Amino acid sequence: MKLPPEIQFHEDIRLLIYRPHGLIDEAAINKVTSVIEQLEAETQAPFNRFSDTLDAHEVELNFRYVIHVSLHRRLAHAGREPVKSAIFVSETTLVHYARLLGLLTEGSSIKVRVFQEREEAAQWLDVPVERLE
């Protein structure tokens, strides 16, 4: 599977890395969600996620859309092995959306945490910090 330039998949450590640039909008979220779902279908093995939003400078999302996508992912991942999704943020708006995602996936097999330190995210994901840089 050919991945978009902002998405990497490290099979050796079972980690998808998403690095959006500029604008995060519905099209960007739809793209990364589609890639995640394709990889889940192809690999059948669980993998964690790391979203590095430092190069994202604008967000054009509404809460209704975020709720819709979060609930879709929650249902699509039901019955699968647990995975972790670490969201590395510095932008205040992104912090709010990331925390909302965490709340909406609470109690599901997708564990979401928001980080402002890359080292803490690496420790939680149990990967070397160099792999997140």
Side-chain angles (χ1 to χ4, degrees):
M1 161 185 222
K2 181 158 173 41
L3 298 175
E6 67 273 15
I7 300 174
Q8 302 169 321
F9 183 64
H10 301 279
E11 197 163 342
D12 61 324
I13 56 173
R14 308 294 306 155
L15 182 69
L16 177 135
I17 298 178
Y18 173 52
R19 298 182 199 280
H21 298 279
L23 176 66
I24 296 179
D25 60 3
E26 289 184 17
I29 299 301
N30 288 342
K31 184 191 294 186
V32 70
T33 300
S34 176
V35 168
I36 288 171
E37 290 176 352
Q38 286 178 343
L39 284 170
E40 286 174 341
E42 288 175 10
T43 65
Q44 295 297 313
F47 57 89
N48 293 325
R49 297 94 159 111
F50 176 70
S51 298
D52 180 346
T53 66
L54 291 187
D55 289 333
H57 303 294
E58 188 176 355
V59 179
E60 282 186 14
L61 297 171
N62 62 55
F63 286 111
R64 178 184 223 163
Y65 174 77
V66 173
I67 291 168
H68 172 79
V69 170
S70 299
L71 294 178
H72 166 76
R73 287 299 305 144
R74 183 184 177 115
L75 291 172
H77 204 268
R80 293 178 176 259
E81 290 186 50
V83 296
K84 295 177 180 178
S85 183
I87 304 173
F88 182 48
V89 296
S90 65
E91 220 300 311
T92 306
T93 304
L94 285 169
V95 170
H96 295 299
Y97 283 109
R99 287 191 178 142
L100 177 61
L101 177 62
L103 285 172
L104 294 169
T105 57
E106 205 168 274
S108 77
S109 57
I110 302 172
K111 308 301 177 206
V112 176
R113 283 194 47 196
V114 180
F115 295 92
Q116 294 184 313
E117 298 293 332
R118 195 178 304 268
E119 294 78 14
E120 291 176 14
Q123 184 176 14
W124 186 65
L125 292 168
D126 196 27
V127 298
V129 70
E130 298 80 27
R131 299 298 294 267
L132 303 183
E133 295 175 342

